[in-house]
Amino acid sequence: MEDDGDCLGAMERELGSQCQSLNDICDQLIMLITLCGGVNTSVEAPPAVTNAVVAPLNPLNTITH
């Protein structure tokens, strides 16, 4: 069984790997946006939703047969 130091080290390595993956994805998105002509700033953002009520997801209702 791993001690706390080994476990923490493994978690730090995994976090570092995930951060690098996210940075790579961000770089790719920036390149894609640039290749597609940049961001269209003339499009308005959708209005913010206020006082939204979110119903809990019932997994029994999502099963399809």
PDB file of all heavy atoms in Angstrom, residues 11-24:
ATOM      1  N   MET A  11      -0.799  12.017  -7.278  1.00  0.00           N
ATOM      2  CA  MET A  11      -1.860  12.988  -7.560  1.00  0.00           C
ATOM      3  C   MET A  11      -1.281  14.251  -8.206  1.00  0.00           C
ATOM      4  O   MET A  11      -1.867  14.803  -9.141  1.00  0.00           O
ATOM      5  CB  MET A  11      -2.608  13.334  -6.269  1.00  0.00           C
ATOM      6  CG  MET A  11      -3.458  12.181  -5.765  1.00  0.00           C
ATOM      7  SD  MET A  11      -4.144  12.412  -4.100  1.00  0.00           S
ATOM      8  CE  MET A  11      -4.946  13.966  -4.191  1.00  0.00           C
ATOM      9  N   GLU A  12      -0.110  14.693  -7.745  1.00  0.00           N
ATOM     10  CA  GLU A  12       0.530  15.874  -8.324  1.00  0.00           C
ATOM     11  C   GLU A  12       0.934  15.617  -9.773  1.00  0.00           C
ATOM     12  O   GLU A  12       0.762  16.482 -10.633  1.00  0.00           O
ATOM     13  CB  GLU A  12       1.744  16.277  -7.497  1.00  0.00           C
ATOM     14  CG  GLU A  12       1.381  16.889  -6.161  1.00  0.00           C
ATOM     15  CD  GLU A  12       2.595  17.173  -5.289  1.00  0.00           C
ATOM     16  OE1 GLU A  12       3.669  16.552  -5.504  1.00  0.00           O
ATOM     17  OE2 GLU A  12       2.469  18.019  -4.387  1.00  0.00           O
ATOM     18  N   ARG A  13       1.454  14.428 -10.052  1.00  0.00           N
ATOM     19  CA  ARG A  13       1.828  14.083 -11.434  1.00  0.00           C
ATOM     20  C   ARG A  13       0.596  14.053 -12.324  1.00  0.00           C
ATOM     21  O   ARG A  13       0.613  14.565 -13.451  1.00  0.00           O
ATOM     22  CB  ARG A  13       2.564  12.745 -11.484  1.00  0.00           C
ATOM     23  CG  ARG A  13       3.990  12.815 -10.963  1.00  0.00           C
ATOM     24  CD  ARG A  13       4.740  11.519 -11.199  1.00  0.00           C
ATOM     25  NE  ARG A  13       4.166  10.378 -10.495  1.00  0.00           N
ATOM     26  CZ  ARG A  13       4.385  10.087  -9.216  1.00  0.00           C
ATOM     27  NH1 ARG A  13       5.172  10.859  -8.494  1.00  0.00           N
ATOM     28  NH2 ARG A  13       3.830   9.030  -8.664  1.00  0.00           N
ATOM     29  N   GLU A  14      -0.486  13.475 -11.843  1.00  0.00           N
ATOM     30  CA  GLU A  14      -1.723  13.409 -12.626  1.00  0.00           C
ATOM     31  C   GLU A  14      -2.273  14.804 -12.875  1.00  0.00           C
ATOM     32  O   GLU A  14      -2.712  15.127 -13.983  1.00  0.00           O
ATOM     33  CB  GLU A  14      -2.761  12.543 -11.916  1.00  0.00           C
ATOM     34  CG  GLU A  14      -4.087  12.435 -12.650  1.00  0.00           C
ATOM     35  CD  GLU A  14      -3.991  11.805 -14.025  1.00  0.00           C
ATOM     36  OE1 GLU A  14      -3.064  10.991 -14.256  1.00  0.00           O
ATOM     37  OE2 GLU A  14      -4.848  12.118 -14.876  1.00  0.00           O
ATOM     38  N   LEU A  15      -2.270  15.651 -11.868  1.00  0.00           N
ATOM     39  CA  LEU A  15      -2.741  17.022 -12.014  1.00  0.00           C
ATOM     40  C   LEU A  15      -1.886  17.775 -13.030  1.00  0.00           C
ATOM     41  O   LEU A  15      -2.391  18.506 -13.875  1.00  0.00           O
ATOM     42  CB  LEU A  15      -2.742  17.742 -10.669  1.00  0.00           C
ATOM     43  CG  LEU A  15      -3.239  19.184 -10.670  1.00  0.00           C
ATOM     44  CD1 LEU A  15      -4.669  19.261 -11.192  1.00  0.00           C
ATOM     45  CD2 LEU A  15      -3.150  19.773  -9.277  1.00  0.00           C
ATOM     46  N   GLY A  16      -0.576  17.571 -12.971  1.00  0.00           N
ATOM     47  CA  GLY A  16       0.321  18.203 -13.937  1.00  0.00           C
ATOM     48  C   GLY A  16       0.024  17.748 -15.346  1.00  0.00           C
ATOM     49  O   GLY A  16       0.016  18.548 -16.292  1.00  0.00           O
ATOM     50  N   SER A  17      -0.243  16.460 -15.506  1.00  0.00           N
ATOM     51  CA  SER A  17      -0.586  15.915 -16.819  1.00  0.00           C
ATOM     52  C   SER A  17      -1.897  16.502 -17.334  1.00  0.00           C
ATOM     53  O   SER A  17      -2.017  16.864 -18.511  1.00  0.00           O
ATOM     54  CB  SER A  17      -0.688  14.384 -16.720  1.00  0.00           C
ATOM     55  OG  SER A  17      -1.129  13.840 -17.935  1.00  0.00           O
ATOM     56  N   GLN A  18      -2.885  16.620 -16.466  1.00  0.00           N
ATOM     57  CA  GLN A  18      -4.169  17.197 -16.861  1.00  0.00           C
ATOM     58  C   GLN A  18      -4.028  18.668 -17.213  1.00  0.00           C
ATOM     59  O   GLN A  18      -4.631  19.139 -18.180  1.00  0.00           O
ATOM     60  CB  GLN A  18      -5.202  16.999 -15.757  1.00  0.00           C
ATOM     61  CG  GLN A  18      -5.628  15.557 -15.591  1.00  0.00           C
ATOM     62  CD  GLN A  18      -6.607  15.363 -14.450  1.00  0.00           C
ATOM     63  OE1 GLN A  18      -7.068  16.311 -13.824  1.00  0.00           O
ATOM     64  NE2 GLN A  18      -6.939  14.107 -14.180  1.00  0.00           N
ATOM     65  N   CYS A  19      -3.219  19.407 -16.465  1.00  0.00           N
ATOM     66  CA  CYS A  19      -2.981  20.825 -16.766  1.00  0.00           C
ATOM     67  C   CYS A  19      -2.319  20.969 -18.127  1.00  0.00           C
ATOM     68  O   CYS A  19      -2.687  21.850 -18.915  1.00  0.00           O
ATOM     69  CB  CYS A  19      -2.112  21.460 -15.691  1.00  0.00           C
ATOM     70  SG  CYS A  19      -2.987  21.782 -14.150  1.00  0.00           S
ATOM     71  N   GLN A  20      -1.347  20.114 -18.421  1.00  0.00           N
ATOM     72  CA  GLN A  20      -0.683  20.173 -19.730  1.00  0.00           C
ATOM     73  C   GLN A  20      -1.672  19.865 -20.843  1.00  0.00           C
ATOM     74  O   GLN A  20      -1.675  20.530 -21.881  1.00  0.00           O
ATOM     75  CB  GLN A  20       0.497  19.198 -19.778  1.00  0.00           C
ATOM     76  CG  GLN A  20       1.278  19.286 -21.073  1.00  0.00           C
ATOM     77  CD  GLN A  20       1.845  20.664 -21.329  1.00  0.00           C
ATOM     78  OE1 GLN A  20       2.496  21.247 -20.465  1.00  0.00           O
ATOM     79  NE2 GLN A  20       1.607  21.211 -22.510  1.00  0.00           N
ATOM     80  N   SER A  21      -2.542  18.881 -20.639  1.00  0.00           N
ATOM     81  CA  SER A  21      -3.555  18.551 -21.641  1.00  0.00           C
ATOM     82  C   SER A  21      -4.493  19.732 -21.882  1.00  0.00           C
ATOM     83  O   SER A  21      -4.826  20.053 -23.034  1.00  0.00           O
ATOM     84  CB  SER A  21      -4.373  17.329 -21.217  1.00  0.00           C
ATOM     85  OG  SER A  21      -3.560  16.181 -21.175  1.00  0.00           O
ATOM     86  N   LEU A  22      -4.921  20.391 -20.811  1.00  0.00           N
ATOM     87  CA  LEU A  22      -5.795  21.550 -20.960  1.00  0.00           C
ATOM     88  C   LEU A  22      -5.085  22.698 -21.668  1.00  0.00           C
ATOM     89  O   LEU A  22      -5.690  23.384 -22.507  1.00  0.00           O
ATOM     90  CB  LEU A  22      -6.308  22.002 -19.593  1.00  0.00           C
ATOM     91  CG  LEU A  22      -7.334  21.073 -18.949  1.00  0.00           C
ATOM     92  CD1 LEU A  22      -7.626  21.517 -17.521  1.00  0.00           C
ATOM     93  CD2 LEU A  22      -8.609  21.013 -19.763  1.00  0.00           C
ATOM     94  N   ASN A  23      -3.814  22.911 -21.378  1.00  0.00           N
ATOM     95  CA  ASN A  23      -3.047  23.942 -22.075  1.00  0.00           C
ATOM     96  C   ASN A  23      -2.920  23.624 -23.566  1.00  0.00           C
ATOM     97  O   ASN A  23      -3.030  24.508 -24.409  1.00  0.00           O
ATOM     98  CB  ASN A  23      -1.662  24.111 -21.447  1.00  0.00           C
ATOM     99  CG  ASN A  23      -1.714  24.832 -20.122  1.00  0.00           C
ATOM    100  OD1 ASN A  23      -2.612  25.633 -19.874  1.00  0.00           O
ATOM    101  ND2 ASN A  23      -0.761  24.545 -19.263  1.00  0.00           N
ATOM    102  N   ASP A  24      -2.697  22.346 -23.887  1.00  0.00           N
ATOM    103  CA  ASP A  24      -2.617  21.932 -25.293  1.00  0.00           C
ATOM    104  C   ASP A  24      -3.942  22.179 -26.004  1.00  0.00           C
ATOM    105  O   ASP A  24      -3.969  22.672 -27.136  1.00  0.00           O
ATOM    106  CB  ASP A  24      -2.234  20.453 -25.404  1.00  0.00           C
ATOM    107  CG  ASP A  24      -0.806  20.174 -24.935  1.00  0.00           C
ATOM    108  OD1 ASP A  24      -0.010  21.129 -24.802  1.00  0.00           O
ATOM    109  OD2 ASP A  24      -0.509  18.987 -24.687  1.00  0.00           O
TER     110      ASP A  24
END
